Amino acid sequence: MSMPNIPDIKPNIILNRKDVINLLLTSIALEEIGFSHIINAEAEKIQHMLKDNCLTLDDALRVNDSVEHMLRGIVANQILLQFKLSDVLKLERSYRLSFTEEECEIEEEEE
């Protein structure tokens, strides 16, 4: 599986506010992709367990506990990602408002 590419990253990074917002949204999306891969691996673990003919109840309970532990961790991280997304959206809204105010000031100066 290949890693996604984030274009235009150079050693001398000069970012404007819009670029920062886009990179933050990209980082959230990449974390979500990572979580989807983990969830898929947990599903494959359960499928493998169910195909095993000599599965004991103890084995099934251990796998179930393992999957539950992993999913609890993912849910906790999802909550943090939701906070991050909310903060980025607030930043984006303030960017749009400041951009609109700057346009209004320029128009007033032109008149």
Side-chain angles (χ1 to χ4, degrees):
M1 177 180 314
S2 65
M3 288 297 295
N5 292 325
I6 300 176
D8 300 327
I9 300 296
K10 300 173 183 99
N12 300 328
I13 298 174
I14 300 170
L15 300 172
N16 60 32
R17 195 167 178 172
K18 184 179 178 183
D19 292 335
V20 170
I21 291 169
N22 288 335
L23 285 172
L24 288 169
L25 291 172
T26 300
S27 75
I28 293 169
L30 290 174
E31 286 185 67
E32 292 287 352
I33 289 169
F35 290 143
S36 72
H37 289 295
I38 293 169
I39 291 169
N40 187 54
E42 294 300 306
E44 288 178 5
K45 183 193 303 185
I46 293 171
Q47 288 173 350
H48 179 72
M49 176 194 67
L50 293 174
K51 289 178 185 175
D52 190 3
N53 292 333
C54 51
L55 177 72
T56 66
L57 178 60
D58 189 49
D59 291 339
L61 290 174
R62 272 189 279 129
V63 169
N64 186 61
D65 288 342
S66 170
V67 171
E68 180 185 359
H69 181 73
M70 183 61 69
L71 291 178
R72 283 178 181 268
I74 290 173
V75 168
N77 280 294
Q78 287 288 318
I79 293 168
L80 295 175
L81 274 183
Q82 180 62 44
F83 292 153
K84 184 177 178 181
L85 179 61
S86 295
D87 291 343
V88 171
L89 292 176
K90 285 179 192 173
L91 181 66
E92 196 272 335
R93 264 185 250 124
S94 70
Y95 168 74
R96 280 190 291 144
L97 287 175
S98 67
F99 189 71
T100 304
E101 289 173 0
E102 288 175 10
E103 287 178 341
C104 290
E105 290 173 4
I106 291 171
E107 288 176 6
E108 288 175 0
E109 289 174 2
E110 290 175 354
E111 293 175 359

